[in-house]
């Protein structure tokens, strides 16, 4: 079973879909850069019998990456694309066409295309004539009102992605700790106070994928030229090795930008996904500021961390 309606409907509106597009055309591209700064802050304390301590988390993630955008009919974001109109609007009656009928219809369509060339009125008339023949033979039911065919606007969305191999990301940590601990066995050596920091800086140039220290490469954005809105997925997670300055021997520790583990990345991605942001005038400079509480789910030590996110997207 098939229907003549989609073919006829598409022919009727084919000439108007492209005329509605703005100055951008399929295949056009734009370039630019994105700069992101994420600062992490948190402080907490603990107490265990006579021992006690406090700590301050002080971390920052900065990354900069070239961008390239291409115009297309879809945004790449499921939530946005789900709002696009269906390809065919309106009821399509059930048809009673055999495989032979379908082959005959396809041959007629191909012949009409060859004969009519770019003359859309010619193509529509040819297919209407075939539809009347099939209708008279009881093969199809032509609806009284033709369903609407929504041809996609092939230049509606500017889909933007990062050039990860040319990215530069820096993650720095300067956490501070103040602890009072029991010296030796309890009651034997008294209490000893120690202060130390866990500090380090890593600069990551280029990317090797979406895992580990290149998670910032998951950035993507889209501009909807019809609604004059933009959306983006803004990763704020990265990894760096920092020097543990505790007395008794320094060692490297694996840091995430949020003080949590790599398993937090998926949750953080969901919280840094903004899809309905107003486009500034001119559409060449987009800046934003967000404050996210408890980005580490309070962590194993119960200390929540706040992330302050600032972004700047510049397009040519």
């Amino acid at each position: 079973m098939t229907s003549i309606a989609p073919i006829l409907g598409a022919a009727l509106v084919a000439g108007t879909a492209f005329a509605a597009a703005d100055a951008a055309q399929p295949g056009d591209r734009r370039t630019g850069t994105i700069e992101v700064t994420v600062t992490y802050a948190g402080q907490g304390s603990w107490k265990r019998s006579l021992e006690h301590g406090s700590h301050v988390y002080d971390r920052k993630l900065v990354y900069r990456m070239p961008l390239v955008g291409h115009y297309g009919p879809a945004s790449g974001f499921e939530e946005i694309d789900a709002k696009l109109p269906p390809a065919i609007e309106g009821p399509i009656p059930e048809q009673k066409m055999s495989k032979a009928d379908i082959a005959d219809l396809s041959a007629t369509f191909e012949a009409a295309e060859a004969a009519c060339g770019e003359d859309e009125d010619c193509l529509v008339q040819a297919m209407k004539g075939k539809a009347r023949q099939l209708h008279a033979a009881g093969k199809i039911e032509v609806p009284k009102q033709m369903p609407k065919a929504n041809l996609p606007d092939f230049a509606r969305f500017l889909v933007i992605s990062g050039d990860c191999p040319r990215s530069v990301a820096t993650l720095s940590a300067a956490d501070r700790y103040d602890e009072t601990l029991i010296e030796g066995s309890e009651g034997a050596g008294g209490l000893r106070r120690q202060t130390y920091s866990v500090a380090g800086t890593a600069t990551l140039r280029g990317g090797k994928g979406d895992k580990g220290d290149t998670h910032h490469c998951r950035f993507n954005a889209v501009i909807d030229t019809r609604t004059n809105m933009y959306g983006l997925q803004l990763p704020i997670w990265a990894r760096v090795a920092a020097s543990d300055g505790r007395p008794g021997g320094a060692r490297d520790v694996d840091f995430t930008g949020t003080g949590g583990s790599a398993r937090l990345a998926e949750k953080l991605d969901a919280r840094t996904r903004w899809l309905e942001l107003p486009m500034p005038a001119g559409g060449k400079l987009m800046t934003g500021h967000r404050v996210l509480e408890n980005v580490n789910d309070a962590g194993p030590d119960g200390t929540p961390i706040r992330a302050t996110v600032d972004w700047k997207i510049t397009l040519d």
Side-chain angles (χ1 to χ4, degrees):
M1 295 185 297
T2 188
S3 171
I4 192 69
I7 296 176
L8 295 180
L12 287 169
V13 300
T16 62
F18 292 101
D22 61 12
Q25 296 297 321
D28 288 354
R29 55 177 280 173
R30 295 176 67 180
T31 58
T33 58
I34 180 170
E35 300 173 67
V36 178
T37 299
V38 188
T39 57
Y40 309 93
Q43 59 184 15
S45 59
W46 60 272
K47 182 175 178 59
R48 183 175 58 247
S49 184
L50 297 177
E51 297 183 320
H52 56 89
S54 62
H55 50 262
V56 175
Y57 294 135
D58 181 5
R59 302 168 187 173
K60 179 180 287 188
L61 169 65
V62 179
Y63 61 88
R64 188 176 191 276
M65 188 161 44
L67 301 177
V68 60
H70 295 88
Y71 288 94
S75 74
F77 286 95
E78 182 178 346
E79 299 93 325
I80 296 176
D81 293 340
K83 298 178 181 179
L84 297 177
I88 300 293
E89 292 184 22
I92 301 177
E94 184 175 305
Q95 313 300 327
K96 302 176 182 179
M97 297 180 65
S98 65
K99 291 183 178 180
D101 295 326
I102 296 173
D104 180 37
L105 176 61
S106 297
T108 301
F109 185 71
E110 291 174 0
E113 276 191 314
C116 296
E118 297 183 0
D119 187 343
E120 294 170 0
D121 290 336
C122 169
L123 179 63
V124 169
Q125 291 304 317
M127 296 311 296
K128 280 185 175 180
K130 187 63 178 179
R132 284 193 291 269
Q133 293 178 12
L134 292 171
H135 178 61
K139 300 291 184 179
I140 67 169
E141 179 182 346
V142 179
K144 294 181 180 178
Q145 183 174 355
M146 185 65 65
K148 178 183 178 183
N150 295 310
L151 293 187
D153 179 349
F154 287 93
R156 173 172 176 175
F157 296 102
L158 178 66
V159 181
I160 305 170
S161 59
D163 184 355
C164 193
R166 296 169 58 199
S167 68
V168 178
T170 301
L171 180 63
S172 58
D175 298 349
R176 303 181 297 278
Y177 296 81
D178 187 342
E179 301 175 341
T180 299
L181 307 174
I182 295 175
E183 188 74 49
S185 59
E186 186 170 351
L191 297 176
R192 171 177 55 85
R193 182 184 178 186
Q194 64 179 24
T195 60
Y196 61 94
S197 64
V198 177
T201 300
T203 298
L204 312 170
R205 296 184 182 277
K208 299 179 181 179
D210 292 339
K211 297 181 179 179
D213 55 11
T214 60
H215 189 75
H216 65 277
C217 292
R218 295 168 63 93
F219 164 83
N220 55 84
V222 61
I223 295 176
D224 187 339
T225 63
R226 182 175 298 178
T227 64
N228 208 34
M229 307 285 283
Y230 79 100
L232 73 166
Q233 169 66 62
L234 199 65
I236 64 170
W237 183 89
R239 178 179 291 134
V240 64
S243 174
D244 186 341
R246 282 178 288 187
R251 64 180 184 273
D252 286 342
V253 295
D254 194 31
F255 254 99
T256 61
T258 62
S261 69
R263 290 174 295 181
L264 286 175
E266 184 176 348
K267 290 184 178 180
L268 287 177
D269 283 351
R271 295 184 63 184
T272 57
R273 190 179 179 92
W274 300 293
L275 300 180
E276 295 184 349
L277 303 170
M279 278 292 299
K284 293 186 176 183
L285 178 63
M286 290 152 277
T287 60
H289 174 85
R290 292 290 188 277
V291 177
L292 304 175
E293 301 290 345
N294 196 21
V295 296
N296 61 332
D297 290 341
D301 59 11
T303 300
I305 296 180
R306 173 189 293 116
T308 302
V309 186
D310 291 278
W311 71 85
K312 177 182 177 180
I313 298 175
T314 305
L315 295 177
D316 61 11

